[in-house]
């Protein structure tokens, strides 16, 4: 099967999925988007078809839905691009089943589990000598007493999706023993106690947060981009970046690649760090085993991440790439209010804000060659905000346990050929 006759299936049509569709669609590659809600991708000229399904949060239903769509439209051999952590986990756990029909870009569970669960992430990082924030995992409220001297603390989930869909928050801050106890009780009503992490708060806002982004394979980075998160919302525990800028940072590259080699990683990945001003160390926060919010910036700085992964599925050899520094990415609908609040609080100067706009070469949705999604985003903003932040889950997503002792998987490259 020739690559030019094979398309891509993007799971999730928010702006990360739109970025994938544009990357591939510009090259004449057909793109299907599968989603369980309305999204801006459905208005893109680079999307061949959008297919709505009932549920992508339950792993079995998600896998069944993707296979049913593939069979219905004759998409055998097409390349899968999950954009959400829960579909990454589902595709990883059911990789063998999916690989009988598709090209699966997600690594096996013996690799992905180190990114999916932060307890696993921090355990492996500590064993590799990679700095991490001090993290505790109390199982009962009685155990919180020992943590009172360490306040303030952040309460966060080991598995982000279970907590976020239930609360709309990425983490909670506890200043007092009473707050810590109360938040622990609230969290316990939403997720299992063993998933509750209590972590030291590294001082500083998003400007101390960095991302290592790469197409990684065969134990080394094929192509890379390092970025600094200049603005985020909310300021302290940002759900997402609103403005980032590419930089050069060899130390972050070395730490990230040490971790990815140790877990035999394959695919696109973002590794997040925050610099602790108290000791200067870059401490690992998160590993996203998928495309990230600002991956479309890569095309503006010489690293077209989705196409690199697509081409690798067919064994095509592409030149290694390294992003040039000093280029910005912006998500206007969230950055404008974020910047306004920062200006009001004196955390941002008008000159700095203007300079960041001048360095911006990529916006999350707006594109002159494909303008309809940006128009649709403005019209759909109330719907998108409600779906993402206000509507709570009627029931928790069914995330099923998998054996941690899974055998080592071969790299995902060239499956379903």
């Amino acid at each position: 099967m020739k690559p030019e006759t094979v398309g891509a299936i993007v799971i999730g049509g928010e702006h990360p999925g739109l970025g994938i569709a544009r990357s591939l669609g510009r090259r004449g590659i057909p793109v299907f988007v599968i989603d369980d809600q309305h999204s801006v991708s459905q208005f893109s000229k680079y999307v061949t078809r959008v297919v709505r399904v009932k549920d992508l949060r339950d792993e079995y239903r998600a896998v069944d839905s993707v296979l049913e769509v593939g069979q219905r439209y004759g998409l055998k051999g097409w390349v899968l691009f999950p954009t959400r952590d829960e579909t990454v986990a589902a595709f990883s756990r059911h990789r063998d089943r999916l690989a009988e029909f598709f090209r699966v870009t997600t690594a096996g569970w013996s690799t992905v589990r180190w990114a999916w669960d932060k307890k696993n992430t921090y355990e492996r990082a500590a064993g590799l000598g990679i700095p991490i924030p001090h993290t505790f995992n109390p199982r009962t409220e009685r155990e919180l007493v020992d943590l009172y001297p360490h306040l303030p603390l952040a309460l966060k989930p080991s598995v982000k999706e279970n907590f976020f869909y239930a609360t709309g928050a990425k983490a909670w801050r506890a200043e007092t023993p009473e707050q810590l106890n109360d938040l622990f009780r609230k969290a316990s009503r939403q997720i299992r106690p063993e998933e509750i992490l209590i972590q030291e708060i590294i001082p500083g806002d998003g400007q101390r947060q960095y991302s290592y982004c790469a197409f990684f394979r065969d134990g080394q980075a094929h192509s890379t981009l390092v970025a600094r998160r200049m603005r985020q919302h909310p300021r302290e525990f940002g759900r997402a970046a609103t403005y980032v800028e590419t930089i050069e940072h060899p130390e972050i590259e070395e730490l990230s690649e040490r971790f990815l080699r140790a877990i035999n990683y394959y695919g696109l990945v973002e590794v997040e760090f925050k610099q602790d001003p108290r000791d200067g160390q870059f401490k690992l926060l998160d590993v996203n085993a998928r495309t990230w919010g600002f991956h479309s910036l890569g095309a503006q700085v010489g690293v077209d991440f989705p196409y690199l992964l697509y081409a690798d599925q067919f064994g095509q050899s592409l030149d290694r790439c390294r992003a040039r520094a000093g280029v910005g990415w912006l998500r206007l609908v969230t950055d404008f209010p974020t910047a306004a609040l920062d200006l009001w609080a004196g955390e941002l100067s008008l000159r700095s804000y203007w300079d960041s706009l001048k360095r911006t070469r990529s916006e999350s949705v707006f594109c002159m060659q494909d303008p309809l999604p940006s128009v649709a985003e403005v019209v759909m903003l109330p719907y998108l905000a409600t779906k993402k932040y206000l509507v709570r889950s009627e029931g928790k997503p069914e995330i099923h346990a998998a054996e941690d002792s899974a055998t080592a998987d071969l790299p995902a490259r060239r499956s379903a050929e």
Side-chain angles (χ1 to χ4, degrees):
M1 189 177 292
K2 296 181 179 180
E4 59 267 22
T5 67
V6 179
I9 304 172
V10 179
I11 318 301
E14 296 180 299
H15 68 274
L18 176 62
I20 298 171
R22 285 172 170 168
S23 164
L24 303 179
R26 290 186 183 109
R27 300 173 185 270
I29 298 167
V31 177
F32 272 48
V33 172
I34 299 177
D35 212 335
D36 54 3
Q37 61 186 26
H38 295 291
S39 65
V40 294
S41 289
Q42 69 194 70
F43 301 97
S44 173
K45 71 178 185 180
Y46 296 112
V47 172
T48 307
R49 185 184 292 270
V50 177
V51 182
R52 290 283 301 281
V53 297
K54 187 175 181 180
D55 184 14
L56 288 174
R57 287 173 52 191
D58 175 86
E59 69 178 77
Y60 293 112
R61 292 175 186 168
V63 170
D64 287 344
S65 294
V66 171
L67 283 167
E68 189 279 325
V69 171
Q71 291 162 359
R72 188 197 325 167
Y73 291 101
L75 310 181
K76 185 172 178 61
W78 281 37
V79 183
L80 294 182
F81 283 85
T83 64
R84 303 171 189 164
D85 288 333
E86 62 267 32
T87 45
V88 168
F91 289 6
S92 176
R93 288 168 177 155
H94 300 270
R95 189 176 184 284
D96 289 345
R97 183 181 170 203
L98 289 166
E100 292 177 0
F101 195 86
F102 300 110
R103 287 176 167 82
V104 185
T105 60
T106 304
W109 185 244
S110 64
T111 289
V112 170
R113 74 183 187 93
W114 297 106
W116 166 251
D117 188 323
K118 287 186 178 64
K119 285 196 297 184
N120 290 340
T121 303
Y122 297 144
E123 176 189 335
R124 178 54 68 94
L128 295 168
I130 298 170
I132 58 172
H134 293 301
T135 305
F136 311 93
N137 185 212
R139 304 301 175 88
T140 67
E141 198 170 334
R142 291 190 300 273
E143 297 175 61
L144 300 179
V145 175
D146 294 335
L147 304 184
Y148 293 166
H150 302 285
L151 287 163
L153 292 165
L155 189 149
K156 62 194 293 186
S158 64
V159 177
K160 179 175 63 180
E161 285 62 41
N162 298 4
F163 186 79
F164 181 79
Y165 283 125
T167 68
K170 187 174 181 179
W172 290 331
R173 181 186 179 105
E175 295 280 357
T176 66
E178 293 75 21
Q179 284 182 337
L180 184 62
N181 290 354
D182 181 58
L183 292 174
F184 185 84
R185 286 192 294 270
K186 286 175 62 178
S188 298
R189 291 195 289 269
Q190 304 296 340
I191 60 177
R192 297 174 299 169
E194 53 265 37
E195 291 184 23
I196 300 173
L197 302 181
I198 297 179
Q199 193 172 76
E200 70 167 332
I201 295 175
I202 300 175
D205 57 21
Q207 292 194 35
R208 289 189 172 273
Q209 197 159 323
Y210 300 81
S211 291
Y212 168 90
C213 310
F215 168 44
F216 201 88
R217 51 163 287 186
D218 298 332
Q220 57 185 316
H222 178 282
S223 298
T224 59
L225 177 157
V226 181
R228 184 180 179 188
R229 182 178 287 202
M230 306 297 287
R231 293 190 291 275
Q232 65 178 10
H233 79 101
R235 169 181 288 277
E236 186 170 47
F237 303 130
R239 293 190 189 102
T242 68
Y243 175 76
V244 305
E245 204 168 284
T246 55
I247 61 169
E248 294 279 353
H249 209 297
E251 183 177 354
I252 288 174
E253 293 183 43
E254 191 280 324
L255 292 171
S256 301
E257 291 166 16
R258 190 191 313 174
F259 184 89
L260 296 173
R261 278 194 299 271
I263 65 171
N264 190 31
Y265 193 81
Y266 171 85
L268 304 182
V269 66
E270 179 197 24
V271 186
E272 298 182 17
F273 292 86
K274 188 169 184 180
Q275 186 179 29
D276 192 330
R278 298 167 299 186
D279 57 18
Q281 290 188 324
F282 293 91
K283 297 182 177 178
L284 188 148
L285 299 180
D286 207 356
V287 179
N288 295 311
R290 51 165 171 75
T291 51
W292 49 99
F294 60 89
H295 76 84
S296 57
L297 174 60
Q300 304 299 318
V301 292
V303 191
D304 192 347
F305 286 109
Y307 184 67
L308 287 169
L309 184 57
Y310 175 90
D312 191 64
Q313 290 293 307
F314 298 94
Q316 295 182 0
S317 179
L318 297 178
D319 292 339
R320 295 177 182 272
C321 315
R322 187 181 183 87
R324 65 181 184 275
V327 181
W329 171 94
L330 183 72
R331 178 147 176 74
L332 186 61
V333 295
T334 51
D335 189 64
F336 180 76
T338 297
L341 289 172
D342 287 353
L343 287 165
W344 180 262
E347 300 288 344
L348 177 68
S349 69
L350 278 171
R351 181 181 181 84
S352 295
Y353 180 60
W354 177 245
D355 286 344
S356 70
L357 295 181
K358 289 193 295 183
R359 288 190 292 271
T360 298
R361 294 293 179 271
S362 177
E363 204 278 331
S364 62
V365 174
F366 178 75
C367 172
M368 288 290 290
Q369 294 76 35
D370 187 31
L372 284 183
S374 59
V375 176
E377 183 177 49
V378 174
V379 174
M380 296 172 64
L381 201 54
Y383 166 81
L384 296 172
T386 299
K387 289 290 289 184
K388 193 162 190 176
Y389 300 121
L390 299 181
V391 175
R392 298 293 179 260
S393 171
E394 294 179 1
K396 297 170 191 172
E398 297 178 38
I399 306 300
H400 305 278
E403 293 295 330
D404 282 350
S405 59
T407 57
D409 295 87
L410 295 174
R413 201 156 35 101
R414 296 190 283 278
S415 60
E417 287 188 316

